[in-house]
Amino acid sequence: MTDLTRLQGAADKLEIIENSATSFCCRDTGDWDRLAACFDPQAPITTSWFKGTAREFAEQSKNMWDGHHPGDTQRHMMGSPRVTLNGNRAICEYYLILYQGRTIDGYEFDLATWSVTLDFYEKQPDEVWRIVKRRMIYDKSRMDARTPGTVPQSYWDGMDLSRYPVPVKYHCYRNEKSSGHAPANMILKGSVGDKEARRDAEAWVKNA
């Protein structure tokens, strides 16, 4: 491998990682046009609350944002990115922690969800790396009163979490409270869907 090849590979990886990070920063700040620009418009995206194209994802993310309580907060924290390159294709895999502040039933909560993201990349005809598919694999979640002691024990005792996958039950509860619908698209760590997503990612890079 020549020095020029190494330099190009490093530049490609940096552009890819920065683009993935930008997509989440834009979700958190409400920069919807820039969020959409991180993806091919028809890129399929699967998250806990959404399944559709990148264009639809940006539109529905805005709608969700507009429906939040004024005191709600949201931050996606991305870590340990790993990029696999092959020609004009790549996979960017990284850990993601979603921190949210939510007002639910008049009480203030802090929630966290841990997941792994697989971003499928292609260098497009304009020489820009864009996400052409995103798969999120969910690991676990938690939910706490923002201020200890402000949520009565009766509220916790009355929560029906039985219909949700145990590792992500609080994430699902929050989603259903926010949208009125239980998540239906979740890929869980160690599941058949997890293995399929990883095989898909391996094939994407291999068949460049």
Side-chain angles (χ1 to χ4, degrees):
M1 183 182 293
T2 66
D3 288 344
L4 183 58
T5 301
R6 288 192 180 91
L7 183 61
Q8 183 60 57
D12 286 336
K13 288 184 178 183
L14 179 60
E15 182 179 338
I16 287 167
I17 292 170
E18 183 177 11
N19 187 68
S20 288
T22 296
S23 72
F24 287 104
C25 289
C26 290
R27 275 210 65 200
D28 292 340
T29 59
D31 190 344
W32 310 119
D33 290 339
R34 196 173 178 193
L35 169 63
C38 294
F39 297 84
D40 179 275
Q42 297 305 313
I45 298 176
T46 302
T47 73
S48 66
W49 63 274
F50 176 84
K51 188 172 185 178
T53 67
R55 189 189 306 277
E56 294 165 339
F57 178 72
E59 293 171 355
Q60 292 192 31
S61 293
K62 181 181 184 301
N63 293 339
M64 180 183 291
W65 177 282
D66 291 342
H68 281 173
H69 186 278
D72 288 352
T73 60
Q74 176 172 288
R75 291 291 182 271
H76 291 83
M77 307 300 292
M78 173 182 172
S80 301
R82 299 163 306 284
V83 178
T84 304
L85 282 169
N86 185 18
N88 67 339
R89 290 186 177 185
I91 291 290
C92 184
E93 177 179 350
Y94 49 92
Y95 302 133
L96 196 71
I97 305 176
L98 169 59
Y99 293 108
Q100 292 185 312
R102 288 288 182 268
T103 299
I104 301 174
D105 296 328
Y107 299 110
E108 294 183 335
F109 296 95
D110 286 328
L111 300 101
T113 302
W114 287 259
S115 60
V116 172
T117 303
L118 297 174
D119 281 342
F120 294 61
Y121 271 91
E122 186 172 41
K123 182 177 275 190
Q124 301 198 318
D126 59 358
E127 295 298 309
V128 174
W129 286 97
R130 292 189 180 89
I131 303 167
V132 296
K133 185 187 293 187
R134 170 170 284 173
R135 293 289 180 268
M136 299 187 68
I137 302 164
Y138 292 86
D139 186 0
K140 63 179 182 177
S141 65
R142 66 173 295 152
M143 178 177 180
D144 302 282
R146 183 170 302 172
T147 303
T150 57
V151 179
Q153 186 60 42
S154 59
Y155 185 88
W156 299 105
D157 293 341
M159 292 169 62
D160 180 10
L161 305 175
S162 60
R163 61 190 178 279
Y164 307 130
V166 172
V168 289
K169 59 187 178 182
Y170 297 115
H171 179 90
C172 294
Y173 180 80
R174 184 266 303 167
N175 270 13
E176 188 167 10
K177 280 291 186 177
S178 298
S179 67
H181 302 285
N185 308 308
M186 298 189 79
I187 302 173
L188 299 179
K189 179 182 177 181
S191 68
V192 172
D194 181 354
K195 295 178 175 62
E196 289 177 347
R198 293 184 179 280
R199 284 196 297 268
D200 192 15
E202 183 177 352
W204 171 255
V205 174
K206 182 179 180 180
N207 297 326

XYZ file of all heavy atoms in Angstrom, residues 145-198:
422
model
N -36.146 9.222 37.597
C -36.710 10.540 37.888
C -35.602 11.581 37.771
O -34.486 11.363 38.250
C -37.295 10.564 39.288
N -35.892 12.685 37.114
C -34.860 13.710 36.952
C -34.370 14.214 38.308
O -33.180 14.415 38.519
C -35.390 14.869 36.107
C -34.355 15.947 35.839
C -34.853 16.942 34.817
N -35.186 16.261 33.565
C -35.791 16.873 32.544
N -36.144 18.147 32.640
N -36.058 16.207 31.436
N -35.294 14.401 39.224
C -34.961 14.774 40.597
C -35.420 13.648 41.508
O -36.616 13.336 41.548
C -35.650 16.084 41.001
O -35.286 17.116 40.074
C -35.249 16.490 42.411
N -34.503 12.989 42.219
C -34.888 11.853 43.057
C -36.031 12.208 44.018
O -36.035 13.286 44.626
C -33.597 11.528 43.818
C -32.505 11.993 42.911
C -33.038 13.225 42.255
N -36.996 11.307 44.109
C -38.091 11.495 45.036
C -39.289 12.242 44.490
O -40.307 12.366 45.179
N -39.196 12.741 43.245
C -40.300 13.537 42.710
C -41.350 12.694 41.995
O -42.431 13.201 41.682
C -39.774 14.602 41.731
O -39.027 13.957 40.685
C -38.888 15.607 42.446
N -41.033 11.426 41.716
C -41.998 10.530 41.078
C -42.449 9.514 42.117
O -41.634 8.751 42.637
C -41.379 9.813 39.865
C -42.396 8.862 39.231
C -40.886 10.824 38.832
N -43.732 9.484 42.453
C -44.204 8.579 43.508
C -44.042 7.114 43.116
O -44.102 6.761 41.935
C -45.674 8.958 43.668
C -46.054 9.582 42.372
C -44.833 10.280 41.867
N -43.857 6.277 44.116
C -43.697 4.850 43.871
C -44.910 4.262 43.159
O -44.789 3.315 42.366
C -43.461 4.110 45.201
C -43.134 2.636 45.037
C -41.868 2.411 44.227
O -40.875 3.111 44.403
N -41.897 1.420 43.339
N -46.076 4.844 43.396
C -47.291 4.350 42.754
C -47.208 4.464 41.228
O -47.789 3.638 40.510
C -48.508 5.117 43.270
O -48.380 6.511 43.013
N -46.483 5.480 40.731
C -46.331 5.614 39.285
C -45.505 4.457 38.731
O -45.872 3.825 37.732
C -45.669 6.945 38.924
C -45.598 7.173 37.423
C -46.653 7.775 36.752
C -44.495 6.749 36.680
C -46.615 7.962 35.381
C -44.442 6.928 35.305
C -45.499 7.535 34.662
O -45.463 7.707 33.303
N -44.363 4.173 39.384
C -43.505 3.076 38.932
C -44.264 1.748 39.010
O -44.180 0.924 38.100
C -42.236 3.001 39.777
C -41.388 4.230 39.717
C -41.263 5.187 40.683
C -40.537 4.650 38.643
N -40.388 6.181 40.274
C -39.934 5.872 39.033
C -40.235 4.116 37.392
C -39.027 6.551 38.220
C -39.336 4.795 36.575
C -38.751 5.995 36.989
N -45.009 1.554 40.079
C -45.739 0.298 40.261
C -46.834 0.131 39.212
O -47.194 -0.999 38.849
C -46.371 0.238 41.652
C -45.337 0.153 42.773
O -44.178 -0.220 42.473
O -45.685 0.485 43.926
N -47.362 1.231 38.709
C -48.453 1.176 37.751
C -48.028 1.083 36.298
O -48.875 0.939 35.406
N -46.719 1.123 36.032
C -46.234 1.044 34.660
C -46.377 -0.382 34.136
O -45.884 -1.326 34.745
C -44.762 1.474 34.594
C -44.542 2.936 34.868
S -42.778 3.353 35.092
C -42.099 2.905 33.482
N -47.043 -0.540 33.008
C -47.172 -1.858 32.382
C -46.083 -1.995 31.313
O -46.206 -1.465 30.213
C -48.557 -2.023 31.758
C -48.731 -3.378 31.090
O -47.859 -4.258 31.281
O -49.735 -3.566 30.376
N -45.015 -2.708 31.657
C -43.888 -2.899 30.744
C -43.847 -4.311 30.177
O -42.896 -4.675 29.478
C -42.576 -2.612 31.485
C -42.479 -1.238 32.169
C -41.176 -1.140 32.957
C -42.572 -0.115 31.141
N -44.874 -5.107 30.442
C -44.843 -6.531 30.123
C -44.803 -6.819 28.625
O -44.314 -7.868 28.217
C -46.058 -7.225 30.742
O -47.275 -6.679 30.232
N -45.294 -5.895 27.794
C -45.350 -6.157 26.355
C -44.088 -5.713 25.624
O -44.012 -5.834 24.388
C -46.572 -5.493 25.735
C -46.621 -3.976 25.865
C -47.989 -3.476 25.441
N -48.151 -2.058 25.573
C -48.431 -1.448 26.718
N -48.539 -2.154 27.832
N -48.600 -0.142 26.772
N -43.102 -5.218 26.343
C -41.885 -4.729 25.710
C -40.723 -5.704 25.935
O -40.675 -6.384 26.968
C -41.479 -3.368 26.290
C -42.567 -2.324 26.267
C -42.867 -1.601 27.412
C -43.273 -2.038 25.107
C -43.849 -0.621 27.416
C -44.260 -1.064 25.095
C -44.543 -0.362 26.248
O -45.515 0.596 26.238
N -39.753 -5.739 25.017
C -38.540 -6.526 25.265
C -37.829 -6.001 26.518
O -37.629 -4.788 26.662
C -37.697 -6.281 24.013
C -38.665 -5.842 22.964
C -39.746 -5.094 23.687
N -37.463 -6.893 27.420
C -36.932 -6.492 28.726
C -35.735 -5.541 28.626
O -35.693 -4.524 29.332
C -36.577 -7.738 29.566
C -35.853 -7.342 30.847
C -37.855 -8.511 29.912
N -34.752 -5.805 27.763
C -33.569 -4.918 27.766
C -33.888 -3.465 27.407
O -33.177 -2.555 27.826
C -32.645 -5.545 26.714
C -33.104 -6.957 26.598
C -34.589 -6.905 26.812
N -34.946 -3.240 26.621
C -35.248 -1.885 26.137
C -36.662 -1.457 26.539
O -37.287 -0.631 25.873
C -35.076 -1.797 24.604
C -33.609 -1.872 24.216
C -35.870 -2.899 23.897
N -37.144 -1.971 27.653
C -38.531 -1.711 28.049
C -38.786 -0.231 28.322
O -39.860 0.284 27.998
C -38.914 -2.558 29.253
C -38.058 -2.333 30.495
C -38.404 -3.332 31.593
C -37.520 -3.146 32.829
N -37.827 -4.154 33.881
N -37.825 0.465 28.902
C -38.048 1.887 29.193
C -38.014 2.728 27.919
O -38.770 3.696 27.784
C -37.008 2.391 30.198
C -37.103 1.690 31.526
C -36.065 0.886 31.996
C -38.245 1.806 32.322
C -36.159 0.230 33.216
C -38.349 1.157 33.539
C -37.301 0.366 33.976
O -37.403 -0.289 35.177
N -37.161 2.351 26.988
C -37.122 3.035 25.698
C -38.463 2.864 24.982
O -39.020 3.824 24.437
C -35.989 2.450 24.850
C -35.869 3.066 23.495
N -35.081 4.164 23.241
C -36.446 2.738 22.300
C -35.170 4.488 21.961
N -35.998 3.641 21.374
N -38.993 1.656 24.997
C -40.268 1.388 24.342
C -41.416 2.129 25.035
O -42.314 2.659 24.368
C -40.539 -0.113 24.337
S -39.398 -1.079 23.324
N -41.379 2.154 26.349
C -42.410 2.860 27.116
C -42.425 4.339 26.749
O -43.487 4.922 26.503
C -42.135 2.681 28.604
C -43.126 3.371 29.517
C -44.364 2.805 29.783
C -42.804 4.584 30.135
C -45.274 3.437 30.633
C -43.707 5.216 30.981
C -44.930 4.642 31.227
O -45.820 5.262 32.061
N -41.248 4.935 26.703
C -41.153 6.346 26.337
C -41.645 6.581 24.916
O -42.385 7.545 24.645
C -39.700 6.814 26.499
C -39.481 8.310 26.248
C -39.065 8.609 24.836
N -37.855 7.881 24.497
C -37.415 7.765 23.240
N -38.098 8.287 22.229
N -36.307 7.091 22.973
N -41.261 5.699 23.982
C -41.711 5.854 22.603
C -43.235 5.802 22.498
O -43.850 6.614 21.801
C -41.111 4.754 21.727
C -39.783 5.153 21.114
O -39.180 6.137 21.517
N -39.325 4.380 20.154
N -43.833 4.843 23.190
C -45.281 4.707 23.107
C -45.985 5.894 23.752
O -47.003 6.379 23.256
C -45.748 3.404 23.743
C -47.219 3.132 23.509
C -47.641 1.724 23.836
O -46.833 0.979 24.433
O -48.777 1.356 23.497
N -45.440 6.389 24.848
C -46.014 7.574 25.488
C -45.906 8.797 24.579
O -46.781 9.668 24.570
C -45.298 7.839 26.814
C -45.758 6.981 27.968
C -47.170 7.349 28.392
C -47.618 6.635 29.629
N -48.967 7.047 30.071
N -44.828 8.859 23.787
C -44.612 10.021 22.917
C -45.470 9.957 21.660
O -45.972 10.983 21.191
C -43.131 10.108 22.512
O -42.310 10.291 23.645
N -45.611 8.750 21.094
C -46.263 8.624 19.786
C -47.607 7.915 19.824
O -48.373 7.981 18.855
C -45.346 7.861 18.831
O -45.195 6.517 19.260
N -47.887 7.197 20.919
C -49.109 6.419 20.988
C -48.997 5.035 20.392
O -49.966 4.272 20.379
N -47.790 4.699 19.882
C -47.587 3.395 19.252
C -46.344 2.729 19.841
O -45.309 3.371 20.010
C -47.407 3.542 17.742
C -48.562 4.210 17.057
N -49.751 3.570 16.833
C -48.701 5.470 16.579
C -50.587 4.397 16.226
N -49.974 5.559 16.063
N -46.448 1.439 20.106
C -45.294 0.685 20.586
C -44.334 0.458 19.425
O -44.762 0.244 18.286
C -45.733 -0.653 21.178
N -43.017 0.510 19.666
C -42.050 0.262 18.592
C -42.257 -1.108 17.959
O -42.495 -2.099 18.649
C -40.698 0.339 19.317
C -40.969 1.170 20.526
C -42.371 0.837 20.935
N -42.170 -1.148 16.611
C -42.394 -2.407 15.902
C -41.207 -2.817 15.040
O -41.234 -3.874 14.424
C -43.627 -2.279 15.018
N -40.171 -1.983 14.997
C -39.080 -2.229 14.055
C -37.744 -2.524 14.729
O -36.714 -2.523 14.066
C -38.883 -1.001 13.153
C -40.164 -0.542 12.497
O -40.843 -1.337 11.880
N -40.493 0.731 12.635
N -37.750 -2.782 16.013
C -36.491 -2.839 16.745
C -35.685 -4.093 16.423
O -36.218 -5.200 16.369
C -36.733 -2.760 18.249
C -37.387 -1.480 18.692
S -37.423 -1.284 20.485
C -35.737 -0.739 20.777
N -34.383 -3.893 16.205
C -33.428 -4.988 16.098
C -32.682 -5.046 17.427
O -32.063 -4.061 17.838
C -32.435 -4.756 14.945
C -33.181 -4.593 13.619
C -31.441 -5.911 14.861
C -32.287 -4.189 12.461
N -32.748 -6.176 18.119
C -32.141 -6.298 19.438
C -30.803 -7.014 19.362
O -30.597 -7.901 18.524
C -33.076 -7.055 20.382
C -34.435 -6.417 20.641
C -35.247 -7.299 21.576
C -34.292 -5.014 21.216
N -29.888 -6.616 20.233
C -28.576 -7.220 20.309
C -28.699 -8.731 20.504
O -29.443 -9.207 21.366
C -27.792 -6.607 21.472
C -26.403 -7.180 21.664
C -25.720 -6.550 22.858
C -24.343 -7.167 23.108
N -23.690 -6.567 24.293
N -27.966 -9.496 19.678
C -27.962 -10.942 19.794
C -29.116 -11.640 19.113
O -29.179 -12.875 19.115
N -30.030 -10.878 18.505
C -31.210 -11.457 17.865
C -30.887 -11.919 16.438
O -29.804 -11.653 15.902
C -32.344 -10.434 17.822
O -32.007 -9.376 16.925
N -31.858 -12.590 15.820
C -31.720 -12.973 14.417
C -31.536 -11.729 13.548
O -30.722 -11.714 12.620
C -32.960 -13.774 13.960
C -32.918 -14.010 12.457
C -33.043 -15.099 14.699
N -32.278 -10.663 13.871
C -32.147 -9.423 13.123
C -30.760 -8.818 13.209
O -30.245 -8.254 12.235
N -30.131 -8.925 14.378
C -28.763 -8.457 14.580
C -27.825 -9.206 13.637
O -27.012 -8.606 12.912
C -28.374 -8.682 16.044
C -26.960 -8.217 16.387
O -26.210 -7.804 15.474
O -26.595 -8.292 17.571
N -27.925 -10.523 13.620
C -27.050 -11.346 12.777
C -27.284 -11.059 11.296
O -26.331 -10.977 10.498
C -27.279 -12.823 13.085
C -26.869 -13.230 14.500
C -27.173 -14.689 14.764
C -26.661 -15.138 16.136
N -27.304 -14.405 17.246
N -28.542 -10.864 10.915
C -28.850 -10.557 9.519
C -28.275 -9.204 9.105
O -27.749 -9.057 7.998
C -30.363 -10.576 9.309
C -30.975 -11.964 9.374
C -32.483 -11.936 9.239
O -33.069 -10.823 9.341
O -33.081 -13.008 9.046
N -28.394 -8.205 9.996
C -27.867 -6.876 9.686
C -26.360 -6.920 9.492
O -25.812 -6.261 8.595
C -28.234 -5.896 10.802
N -25.673 -7.698 10.316
C -24.215 -7.791 10.202
C -23.786 -8.566 8.953
O -22.783 -8.223 8.318
C -23.642 -8.404 11.474
C -23.827 -7.482 12.681
C -23.190 -8.010 13.940
N -23.386 -7.070 15.036
C -22.664 -5.968 15.225
N -21.693 -5.660 14.371
N -22.901 -5.169 16.251
